Amino acid sequence: MAVLPLPTIPRRITLIFIIFFAFSALAKAERYSVLSYGAKPDGRTDSTKAFAAAWSRACASTKPATIYVPRGRFYLGQVRFQGPCKNHAILLRIDGTLVAPSDYKVIGNAKNWLIFENVNGVTVSGGTLDGQGAALWSCKKSGKGSCPSGATCKGVKVSAAGNSPNTDGIHVQSSTGVTILNSRIGTGDDCVSIGPGTSNLWIENVACGPGHGISIGSLGKESHEAGVQNITVKTTTFTGTQNGLRIKSWGRPSNGFARDILFQHAVMNNVQNPILIDQNYCPGEKNCPGQDSGVKISGVSYQDIHGSSATEVAVKFDCSKKYPCTGDQITRCKAHLQESAS
């Protein structure tokens, strides 16, 4: 019998096969329902321990694992999803609503509600996160281990009051390979904030509002600080937000940097500062007046940004005097914005 050689598989088809294989693996994953560990979908009973228990079982599994949150409202205090885990394929599937405490003191000094530390290959899918004034999802490095990588957040609705202070929807820091897809975020602060040490971040199809937009920074708070690089933000919509696409750094010396950043296909609806680079950030005018930001910004592209601005200035580059924004640094800025009638 003749054996015919297999045809060369194009790279795109190979990628589709890999994704299909990954989802097939998740379909056969170990399943841990939070109800089995005592969670109550009444919006009042504290289900923190139940979620922690389900996470512990999924993290300890050597097989792909799914943590399932059914319909209903689940009240949670601060939950720390901590690794390292024995597998790199954990899916947190949310069909219900997670409700944060309305009292900041309940979540402690960390000021974050749901924290993922030292984990790889975690996916958060679906559901609603009702922040009630808490900073919502944080993905960052723990001082005890390595940075999270390969985490995915998709199809999530994040909700906090527009006047609630310091309520970042999703905060990413000291992480690589994080993906945020197909989500709606409304907060009193940044919809997504991107901190030092973040690389290879992909944000796509995200609606932001209310809130302060999608922000890289603040950077340069420390004199020695990891940089930010390879950031893609595409197909986003901002409605009634304070900012749209923002990069901000403290106005003081630092060895930090932000480079290779693409902002593409964004719609602005009555946004106060649609495009903003602010390198003179100095809250309270303490420890930075009269100094220049040491953060070097380079390789930033703005493509197909359009819509309406709530102010006369739709594009503002307030750059460092020491490392100014130049034509070599801000590579492309293709924006079509008009001042809104309001």
Side-chain angles (χ1 to χ4, degrees):
M1 180 178 65
V3 178
L4 298 176
L6 290 174
T8 301
I9 302 177
R11 186 174 299 176
R12 180 174 297 177
I13 295 177
T14 303
L15 177 61
I16 293 172
F17 174 77
I18 292 171
I19 293 173
F20 175 78
F21 179 81
F23 275 97
S24 297
L26 285 175
K28 299 177 182 178
E30 298 286 346
R31 184 182 175 96
Y32 303 97
S33 171
V34 295
L35 296 180
S36 300
Y37 299 92
K40 303 295 183 184
D42 58 12
R44 299 184 304 274
T45 304
D46 190 344
S47 297
T48 305
K49 291 183 178 180
F51 274 68
W55 170 261
S56 294
R57 291 294 302 274
C59 186
S61 173
T62 57
K63 299 179 180 179
T66 296
I67 300 172
Y68 179 60
V69 182
R71 293 182 181 276
R73 293 176 62 82
F74 295 85
Y75 175 87
L76 297 175
Q78 186 186 76
V79 183
R80 194 175 294 269
F81 301 98
Q82 193 159 2
C85 295
K86 292 184 178 180
N87 76 84
H88 296 165
I90 298 178
L91 170 64
L92 176 57
R93 172 59 189 270
I94 307 171
D95 285 343
T97 299
L98 308 187
V99 182
S102 57
D103 185 355
Y104 283 89
K105 296 178 182 178
V106 175
I107 61 174
N109 295 328
K111 298 181 180 179
N112 291 302
W113 178 32
L114 307 178
I115 303 172
F116 292 83
E117 289 184 340
N118 302 333
V119 294
N120 297 321
V122 171
T123 298
V124 180
S125 178
T128 298
L129 308 182
D130 184 354
Q132 296 202 112
L136 302 177
W137 182 38
S138 177
C139 183
K140 61 183 181 179
K141 176 182 178 180
S142 166
K144 300 178 181 179
S146 60
C147 303
S149 64
T152 299
C153 179
K154 62 180 181 180
V156 174
K157 180 181 178 182
V158 177
S159 177
N163 60 356
S164 54
N166 300 317
T167 53
D168 290 342
I170 298 175
H171 177 67
V172 183
Q173 181 171 323
S174 299
S175 304
T176 184
V178 173
T179 301
I180 302 170
L181 300 172
N182 308 331
S183 296
R184 300 180 60 86
I185 305 172
T187 70
D189 209 311
D190 295 330
C191 290
V192 181
S193 61
I194 303 161
T198 301
S199 64
N200 302 326
L201 172 66
W202 189 281
I203 299 173
E204 184 174 2
N205 194 24
V206 169
C208 172
H212 293 182
I214 294 177
S215 294
I216 297 176
S218 55
L219 305 178
K221 184 176 182 179
E222 307 298 334
S223 58
H224 296 282
E225 185 178 272
V228 171
Q229 59 186 334
N230 298 330
I231 309 297
T232 298
V233 180
K234 63 183 298 184
T235 317
T236 50
T237 302
F238 301 85
T239 302
T241 54
Q242 183 183 93
N243 308 295
L245 304 167
R246 175 171 64 165
I247 302 173
K248 66 174 180 177
S249 69
W250 286 72
R252 60 191 189 196
S254 175
N255 68 343
F257 62 84
R259 63 191 181 210
D260 300 331
I261 298 163
L262 172 63
F263 297 118
Q264 185 182 59
H265 308 319
V267 177
M268 307 288 172
N269 298 314
N270 197 34
V271 174
Q272 294 181 38
N273 302 294
I275 296 175
L276 175 63
I277 295 179
D278 178 8
Q279 290 202 263
N280 294 288
Y281 181 65
C282 187
E285 297 297 316
K286 296 180 180 179
N287 303 319
C288 42
Q291 302 183 61
D292 296 326
S293 175
V295 175
K296 297 179 181 179
I297 298 176
S298 62
V300 182
S301 296
Y302 299 88
Q303 300 176 4
D304 185 29
I305 316 297
H306 61 276
S308 60
S309 171
T311 62
E312 294 182 357
V313 180
V315 179
K316 182 178 181 180
F317 295 155
D318 186 9
C319 299
S320 169
K321 293 180 181 179
K322 185 176 182 180
Y323 299 107
C325 302
T326 68
D328 292 334
Q329 292 175 313
I330 311 303
T331 56
R332 289 187 292 270
C333 184
K334 296 181 179 179
H336 304 280
L337 297 159
Q338 62 182 13
E339 185 180 0
S340 60
S342 60

